[in-house]
Amino acid sequence: MPTPATILSILGLEHSGTTLLVRILHSHPDAVSIGGMKNLADFATGRRACSCGASYGDCPVWLGVESELQKRGRQLSQLSDAIKTGDAATIGDFFASVAASSHRPLLIESSRQPSYLDLLPGAPDFRATAIHIFKHPGAQAWSAHRAGRSVLREMRHYRRRSHAILRRLSDHPAALHIGHDDFCADPDIHLRRILALAGFQPDPQQLETWGEKEMHIIGGNRMKRDRSSAIKTDAAWRQSLPLVPRLLARLLGGAPYRRNLAAARACADL
Ligand SMILES: [Zn+2]
């Protein structure tokens, strides 16, 4: 296992393209997605199943991680307390166990919230990189409206999460901000940028075969593999978003969106 292994954190709002990005990155032969580490405690205590359908104790991938943890005198069930107390040694052993059992040096973590960045292990064993993906507030409002979620709450969430991510990443040594529309317009070039940041070359087949490699993640969006509709710029909201959600998106989401775009422009040469 090359040292340091790289942890690539995916940040953004739920329903903002994070799952798509995770699935594409996971299809790289050197990468493995662990999902959001916040969900693993629920898995270890039987409250959630792995995305492969198996429960804790039956999923061969997580049994492999558990076996590596045991060599380090740990258990997966300790991760919840380690996250609560900021126990860096246990969390570091967890990531080392994932890298050792998967034989993959690129670990994709997708808790989405910037507060988790402070918990991730760093040098000398790990290198931390982060990708922030964001949608236009109109597209985010449309997603909430269609699913019956409160658009007001969604826009407040959009504003808060954008602010927290921009603040947290302002002095991060290896971070990219990418608009979802930009990513979908040219996934090849943005995938190349993301992997270059993490120190890897894209796999030539990655944008064709993503979704075929089974993921073993806990929680998250059970997105079906449907490339024709998945890597596509959001456009429907421009015609279909009703007036009140449209106004909420503009009033609450406009300023954070402009700041997100400015951050994306500032890192455009990376
Ligand atoms: Zn599994």
Side-chain angles (χ1 to χ4, degrees), residues 43 49-55 58-62 214-218:
F43 176 55
C50 178
S51 57
C52 72
S55 56
D58 291 326
C59 171
V61 167
W62 288 107
E214 187 165 46
M215 288 208 297
H216 294 270
I217 64 170
I218 319 303

Side-chain angles (χ1 to χ4, degrees), residues 225-242:
R225 178 175 188 268
D226 182 359
R227 286 185 289 121
S228 60
S229 66
I231 307 185
K232 198 166 75 176
T233 306
D234 284 310
W237 71 269
R238 293 183 191 277
Q239 283 80 43
S240 311
L241 187 64

Side-chain angles (χ1 to χ4, degrees), residues 85-99:
T85 60
D87 171 1
T90 300
I91 296 171
D93 278 343
F94 164 71
F95 278 92
S97 297
V98 173

